[in-house]
Amino acid sequence: MSKQRVVIYTRPGCHLCEEAKANMRAAECGGEYTLDEINIETDLTLLEKYRNDIPVILVNGEEAFRHRVTSEEFKRKIFS
């Protein structure tokens, strides 16, 4: 079975992003997904789209979480 593909849109200094990433790690399912972390400040289109909405977490190309995620919610999504 292939791994889930997770993308997190973030930016430097985002405390909600750091909290979300910590909760993703706390879910202890890192072997089940690949993670791409994208800094929205490197792309004007992404910056305009997500400026006040980060973190945004996509699982297999679909938005799964915005602003906050718990480790339980994340784990449930990865195994669903």
Side-chain angles (χ1 to χ4, degrees), residues 15-33:
H15 71 280
L16 288 178
C17 300
E18 294 306 317
E19 184 180 299
K21 289 186 280 185
N23 287 339
M24 289 164 63
R25 286 189 297 275
E28 297 182 340
C29 57
E32 303 299 321
Y33 65 91

Side-chain angles (χ1 to χ4, degrees), residues 1 14 23 28 43 45 48-50 52:
M1 183 175 177
C14 170
N23 287 339
E28 297 182 340
D43 182 312
T45 303
E48 289 175 0
K49 184 174 183 180
Y50 295 123
N52 298 313

Side-chain angles (χ1 to χ4, degrees), residues 39-56:
N39 177 354
I40 63 168
E41 292 182 353
T42 63
D43 182 312
L44 187 56
T45 303
L46 291 176
L47 184 59
E48 289 175 0
K49 184 174 183 180
Y50 295 123
R51 179 182 314 268
N52 298 313
D53 285 321
I54 56 173
V56 174

Side-chain angles (χ1 to χ4, degrees), residues 58-76:
L58 282 64
V59 177
N60 297 325
E62 294 185 13
E63 184 177 322
F65 307 101
R66 187 176 289 236
H67 304 292
R68 296 186 185 278
V69 62
T70 67
S71 57
E72 295 83 12
E73 290 169 332
F74 184 74
K75 189 171 191 172
R76 196 167 30 252

